[in-house]
Amino acid sequence: MLNKYARAFFTRVLTPFAAFLIRRGVSPDTVTLIGTAGVVAGALVFYPRGEFFWGTVVITLFVFSDLVDGNMARQLGRSSRWGAFLDSTLDRVADGAIFGGFALWYAGHGDDNTLCAVSIFCLASGQVVSYTKARGESIGLPVAVNGLVERAERLVISLVAAGLAGLHAFGVPGIQYLLPVALWIVAVGSLVTLVQRVVTVRRESAEAEAAAHDRPEGASHGSEAS
């Protein structure tokens, strides 16, 4: 839902900014690299120290680069396999830094081994959820499933909760518990999404093999001859 509606909304909002960067000679790849560097810095500098509010502010400022670079590429007519590969790869780096920052906090001054483990699970499961779709598509399957908690949901839930939890440092009582709740939600949602994708790939694989088995032999030879 977030991928469909929120992405479309922010794409329209950020189009003028993308056009401005193009006029200044900035390339989409540069925006991708700078955006990822900003997210990683915000996550690994602020989160391990428990400065969740300011860390989230920094991350939010840079996370929109994921929309800006694609917008720029479309305006330039330069959408390419390389750009898609770079964007997808650096998305995984950014996600790892965010949940790694949470894990470092709970392993250190946060002093909660359970939440450290949950943060690590969120990090790992997010990577595996992405891998299952990429791997399924690489073997010719559509992986036609909308998971319960995909990347957009993971980021929104985690970053909103972290930002609000950071208000505890400004004297807002009890709000620090939002982040642990959010991490558990993301962990469980990611697990459900992983199961959804694995089940979908299993079903699509069985259907593809059944279709290949039932295909008339003559049709197969005809396609090879052509």
Side-chain angles (χ1 to χ4, degrees):
M1 182 178 67
L2 286 172
N3 274 326
K4 182 177 180 181
Y5 296 108
R7 180 175 287 268
F9 169 76
F10 283 110
T11 295
R12 289 194 299 270
V13 171
L14 294 171
T15 293
F17 180 62
F20 169 80
L21 293 177
I22 291 172
R23 290 195 298 270
R24 294 296 180 274
V26 179
S27 71
D29 287 352
T30 299
V31 173
T32 303
L33 292 168
I34 293 174
T36 302
V39 171
V40 170
L44 297 184
V45 171
F46 292 95
Y47 283 176
R49 298 189 297 183
E51 297 178 4
F52 296 118
F53 177 78
W54 293 114
T56 301
V57 169
V58 172
I59 290 170
T60 302
L61 290 174
F62 285 99
V63 80
F64 284 106
S65 66
D66 190 44
L67 299 177
V68 174
D69 56 6
N71 193 309
M72 293 172 65
R74 286 189 294 274
Q75 290 191 45
L76 290 168
R78 295 181 187 172
S79 295
S80 64
R81 291 183 177 87
W82 161 250
F85 169 81
L86 180 66
D87 190 56
S88 180
T89 300
L90 294 183
D91 281 349
R92 307 288 84 76
V93 173
D95 293 357
I98 291 170
F99 289 104
F102 293 145
L104 288 172
W105 162 249
Y106 287 116
H109 294 295
D111 193 23
D112 192 319
N113 288 336
T114 299
L115 288 174
C116 176
V118 172
S119 300
I120 293 173
F121 179 82
C122 289
L123 190 164
S125 61
Q127 307 294 325
V128 176
V129 164
S130 298
Y131 173 79
T132 53
K133 185 173 181 64
R135 182 59 177 146
E137 291 175 343
S138 74
I139 58 176
L141 301 175
V143 196
V145 58
N146 291 319
L148 179 64
V149 176
E150 299 191 356
R151 184 173 187 258
E153 287 81 7
R154 289 197 303 270
L155 286 181
V156 170
I157 293 170
S158 302
L159 293 179
V160 169
L164 292 175
L167 295 176
H168 180 69
F170 298 92
V172 180
I175 202 166
Q176 71 272 21
Y177 298 110
L178 282 177
L179 181 56
V181 171
L183 289 174
W184 277 107
I185 290 173
V186 171
V188 173
S190 296
L191 179 60
V192 171
T193 303
L194 177 59
V195 172
Q196 287 177 305
R197 288 194 174 178
V198 170
V199 170
T200 298
V201 169
R202 179 70 184 90
R203 174 179 54 79
E204 291 176 348
S205 176
E207 291 173 352
E209 291 173 3
H213 179 74
D214 294 339
R215 185 181 301 124
E217 185 176 346
S220 176
H221 290 324
S223 63
E224 290 174 2
S226 62

